[in-house]
Amino acid sequence: MPLPNPLLDFAEPGRAGLPPFAAIRPEHIAPALDYILADNRKRRDALLAATRDYSWDNLAGPMEDLQERLQRVWGPVSHLNAVVNSEPLRAAYNAGVPRIAEYSAEIAQDERLYAAYKAIAARADYASLSPAQKKIIENTLRDFRLGGAELPPDRKARFKEIQKELSTLAAGYSENVLDATQAWELVLTDSADVAGLPPSALAMARQTAEREGKKGWKFTLEAPSYIAFMTYADRRELRQRMYEAFVTRASDQGPNAGRFDNGELMVRIVKLRKEAAALLDYENYAQYALQTRMAKTVPQVLDFLHDLAAKARPAARRDLEMLKDYARAEHNVERLEAWDLAYYSEKLRQSRYAFSQEELRPYFPETRVVPGMFEVVKRLYGLDIRPVQGVETWHPDVRFYEIRDDAGEVRGRFYVDLYARPNKRGGAWMDDCLSRRRRNGDVQVPVAYLTCNFSSPVDGRPALFTHEEVNTLFHEFGHGLHHMLTRVDYLGVAGINGVAWDAVELPSQFMENWCWERESLDLISGHYETGEKLPEALYRKMHAARNFQSGMQFVRQLEFALFDMRLHSDYDPDGSKSVQQLLDEVREEVAVVVPPAFNRFQNSFSHIFAGGYAAGYYSYKWAEVLSADAFSKFEERGVFDSGTGREFLQHILEQGGTREPMELFVAFRGREPSIEPLLRHSGLAA
């Protein structure tokens, strides 16, 4: 055993407690990996040598222990790299990434293990295993095949090398996006330059500048700052500068052209994925990726997306024409540019509905939204959520909570890290810290990370959220509930583990519905000064504007999904067509807004190049069909109908990956999903 190391102290499954974040240093990472990888290999060999009569108890269960030991070392490292990135931490993380990939590939290709799992599946007493145990065995056998276990030695070695290189490239891609985001700023000192911006955005920009000893207002490419500037700043040429900096991040264009360029990395990633799929005799990477999804073929996904595009594109065209007409008639703008869209869209929204997103912000203080969200969960599922004090975290802004059921049992715990800050990856996500497991009669309580990048408190006020940020918070908490409320006692299919990627967004998108209902809005809203609930007049305006430009938003998501699917199915990275040309083709097919030639959206499309959504971005729309239809059952029975809430808890949230997603959906809804609720919710039904 090496010198005392906080990562190794936390590593043993069954060890109580939480990651010792305050004690973890970059220099702990390599020694912890050295030990855990070597010891896991030794333990795996010992398990295989101990018997030839393999069973769940003497092999599959102990292999879950080894998997969790590694996760307990690497999980906190990966999380810290995302939320408090630094040069030493990044260097240690990057050194570990290919080692983790190499180990994972080694496990996936171990012929001895593969044979042992086959032997378990062939046992006379296999039928006596629980459904969860059998599902883990089935998934593991499938993953051995997908991991190259059946390949001849030369192809197996190449497949392993590819996985190792891909992990390094994904980390590099993500770092380039973070560095490019942080490398640009807009500091303004003339009040004329910030005309049109609301007080909340100005206060945030002033606080950002003061923090660095600068005068005036500092705007950045982090989401709260960028979105506010593009939506409200009157100075068109400054919006153009901001837009260009944002859409050229990590590319060969824009103010930092070539400095953090992901161009070559993207092509290399696609090329390696294609090669890996070919080694396993799949036509393309998308077909390989779909082996673990609800959707089974590339044509099925493309037909799904094209069908939605046919329904949404006419509405998107109408949205755009209406915006152009408005800008021309009311603001004398003959040609609407990409940096004008958010600005004039907000003006049009105010004109049509006498309503601005900024009007909502005072009614959604963090101090009402977070407790209100917990109350929504209590009414739906009978669960109580309370803060826990004194828990060690990675930043003073982080909060910690636990979930108890009506019997007093702790069902889950979670960290909440809400605000944007330097050295923190952009976006919002849920990740697992600990998964539920039963070992020696004791249940390990699942723990989640909920991470967002919202506006922070300013001038002594609580953080005031936009309604869109409230939606995002509910979305991520839906993922968290899926992870934490599982009743499955085996790691491989507990919570979100083992859930098909195109079904994993169901619980998250489902939760967003409670951001729109009057009954739930009364719980999550309250003016930060007076406590007044969201006024009825404002609520009606918000609801009337709910599907404002929904056609444009819909086709934008379809553009991303089609680009992803085509990139991983029919694109040739060795051919003459560039990634940009492929994206242009997709836009020609479905988009109504064509961005300027310098736009390099793909260079910061982390979801598919660094975030696990490769050939899977369609999942958002696929799961949206499921979530809209699931919510329609509440529309029929009442949005806080506790019986329906308990049914969703029982059939969806508690089941993890134990059964196929369609089976679980049918168990809850009584039938297969219908697309009609999604079209109705999106204002496209007509």
Side-chain angles (χ1 to χ4, degrees), residues 519-534:
E519 289 172 72
S520 43
L521 280 164
D522 282 347
L523 300 175
I524 63 175
S525 72
H527 196 283
Y528 76 97
E529 288 175 321
T530 65
E532 177 197 10
K533 298 279 195 294
L534 188 69

Side-chain angles (χ1 to χ4, degrees), residues 506 509-510 513-514 517 546 624-639 641 644 647-648 665 668-681:
L506 162 58
Q509 292 176 332
F510 171 78
N513 290 289
W514 277 268
E517 298 298 320
R546 178 176 184 177
E624 223 176 310
V625 173
L626 305 177
S627 65
D629 197 10
F631 183 67
S632 69
K633 187 168 180 175
F634 286 86
E635 291 178 308
E636 293 160 12
R637 296 183 174 184
V639 294
D641 182 71
T644 311
E647 287 172 17
F648 190 82
F665 184 88
F668 169 69
R669 197 66 185 91
R671 56 167 174 74
E672 292 204 349
S674 161
I675 199 172
E676 291 313 309
L678 173 61
L679 297 178
R680 177 165 51 80
H681 289 175

Side-chain angles (χ1 to χ4, degrees), residues 314-453:
R317 283 202 195 97
R318 287 194 299 273
D319 288 345
L320 183 60
E321 286 310 310
M322 191 182 298
L323 183 61
K324 285 179 176 176
D325 291 345
Y326 168 78
R328 190 180 302 115
E330 300 297 326
H331 298 276
N332 206 28
V333 176
E334 283 305 316
R335 180 182 166 85
L336 209 57
E337 301 288 359
W339 45 91
D340 297 325
L341 293 174
Y343 180 76
Y344 287 110
S345 292
E346 184 60 21
K347 290 263 189 286
L348 175 58
R349 187 206 310 269
Q350 292 177 31
S351 170
R352 282 184 66 184
Y353 304 103
F355 157 73
S356 159
Q357 285 288 339
E358 277 301 303
E359 283 180 74
L360 292 176
R361 201 189 279 271
Y363 291 96
F364 291 115
E366 179 188 344
T367 47
R368 291 303 290 261
V369 172
V370 173
M373 181 173 71
F374 297 163
E375 180 60 26
V376 168
V377 168
K378 184 170 188 174
R379 295 192 186 189
L380 286 174
Y381 310 126
L383 300 165
D384 198 36
I385 303 175
R386 294 181 183 171
V388 179
Q389 306 301 329
V391 174
E392 194 176 295
T393 69
W394 54 91
H395 192 277
D397 291 338
V398 178
R399 302 287 174 263
F400 190 78
Y401 300 87
E402 72 178 17
I403 306 175
R404 289 181 182 267
D405 61 21
D406 47 18
E409 180 188 347
V410 178
R411 296 288 297 273
R413 299 188 175 105
F414 58 100
Y415 299 89
V416 179
D417 185 354
L418 291 180
Y419 316 133
R421 61 174 177 268
N423 303 311
K424 180 181 178 184
R425 195 177 88 207
W429 67 93
M430 189 287 298
D431 205 353
D432 58 322
C433 173
L434 291 171
S435 292
R436 179 182 164 105
R437 287 191 73 190
R438 188 179 293 276
R439 296 182 77 258
N440 306 321
D442 294 325
V443 171
Q444 175 171 282
V445 175
V447 181
Y449 303 116
L450 297 179
T451 311
C452 299
N453 274 278

Side-chain angles (χ1 to χ4, degrees), residues 89-137:
L89 177 58
R90 178 183 290 193
Y93 173 80
N94 284 341
V97 164
R99 300 182 66 191
I100 299 290
E102 182 177 34
Y103 175 81
S104 299
E106 181 186 311
I107 293 291
Q109 295 183 354
D110 191 318
E111 291 173 22
R112 302 166 304 160
L113 266 181
Y114 188 21
Y117 275 89
K118 283 182 183 170
I120 296 171
R123 287 176 66 98
D125 60 357
Y126 181 67
S128 66
L129 291 181
S130 72
Q133 290 171 307
K134 283 189 277 197
K135 191 71 167 71
I136 289 170
I137 300 296

Side-chain angles (χ1 to χ4, degrees), residues 77-261:
V77 173
S78 182
H79 181 69
L80 289 173
N81 187 62
V83 292
V84 284
N85 193 281
S86 68
E87 284 302 326
L89 177 58
R90 178 183 290 193
Y93 173 80
N94 284 341
V97 164
R99 300 182 66 191
I100 299 290
E102 182 177 34
Y103 175 81
S104 299
E106 181 186 311
I107 293 291
Q109 295 183 354
D110 191 318
E111 291 173 22
R112 302 166 304 160
L113 266 181
Y114 188 21
Y117 275 89
K118 283 182 183 170
I120 296 171
R123 287 176 66 98
D125 60 357
Y126 181 67
S128 66
L129 291 181
S130 72
Q133 290 171 307
K134 283 189 277 197
K135 191 71 167 71
I136 289 170
I137 300 296
E138 290 164 18
N139 288 353
T140 304
L141 289 172
R142 174 201 69 196
D143 293 344
F144 274 120
R145 292 190 291 274
L146 295 176
E150 295 179 340
L151 293 176
D154 57 334
R155 291 167 77 183
K156 187 181 281 189
R158 178 60 192 145
F159 190 90
K160 191 171 169 185
E161 278 303 311
I162 289 172
Q163 300 310 312
K164 200 168 156 185
E165 187 179 347
L166 279 171
S167 69
T168 302
L169 292 171
Y173 182 99
S174 191
E175 281 167 14
N176 283 342
V177 175
L178 177 63
D179 291 346
T181 301
Q182 297 197 153
W184 190 89
E185 63 181 39
L186 179 64
V187 178
L188 302 171
T189 54
D190 187 338
S191 57
D193 289 339
V194 295
L197 283 154
S200 60
L202 291 173
M204 182 171 65
R206 191 180 65 251
Q207 183 172 279
T208 306
E210 284 172 356
R211 211 180 281 142
E212 297 177 14
K214 292 174 179 168
K215 290 185 173 142
W217 303 270
K218 177 180 167 178
F219 298 93
T220 71
L221 300 181
E222 288 168 3
S225 181
Y226 175 76
I227 291 168
F229 199 89
M230 297 306 297
T231 306
Y232 297 105
D234 291 339
R235 287 284 299 274
R236 194 184 196 193
E237 68 276 19
L238 292 178
R239 291 201 311 272
Q240 180 177 352
R241 273 176 64 190
M242 191 86 159
Y243 173 85
E244 187 172 346
F246 188 80
V247 302
T248 58
R249 287 176 301 156
S251 82
D252 60 338
Q253 300 287 310
N256 280 311
R259 193 170 156 206
F260 310 103
D261 191 2

